[in-house]
Amino acid sequence: MLGGAQLNCSHVETKAPPQFCTFSWDLHTMAGDQKVVEGSFMLPPGASNVQVYQGSGFDSALSNPIVICRGNK
C-alpha cells in the first residue's frame, strides 16, 4: 500500500477463547510529523489475517506495532 499503513492479526487457535487486543504504532507522516495510532479489537478463535488498522499519509514506521492480546473468558 503506497503511503499507507496496514496491520493484520490472526488468532489461529480454534479452541481458545476470543482475544481482546490493543495496539499502538508510531508512524511518520508524509508531512514530516510523528503520529501514534492506537486501537482495540476482538479476534474470534480461528480468525486469520484480519485487518485491524488501515491508514494513509505515512511514509515509514518509527517503531514496530505493539499488539497485546488476552483471552476474553
Side-chain angles (χ1 to χ4, degrees), residues 39-50:
S40 60
F41 55 94
M42 288 290 288
L43 277 177
S48 179
N49 205 29
V50 176

Side-chain angles (χ1 to χ4, degrees), residues 14-36:
T14 59
K15 298 195 188 283
Q19 297 284 304
F20 176 76
C21 305
T22 59
F23 73 90
S24 178
W25 198 4
D26 194 7
L27 301 167
H28 188 261
T29 70
M30 290 183 181
D33 298 323
Q34 177 179 346
K35 181 175 181 181
V36 176

Side-chain angles (χ1 to χ4, degrees), residues 2 6-7 15-16 21 24-26 31 33 37 39 41 49-50 53-54 60 64 67 69 71:
L2 185 60
Q6 185 174 44
L7 179 61
K15 298 195 188 283
C21 305
S24 178
W25 198 4
D26 194 7
D33 298 323
V37 295
F41 55 94
N49 205 29
V50 176
Y53 174 79
Q54 181 171 320
S60 62
N64 289 325
V67 180
C69 296

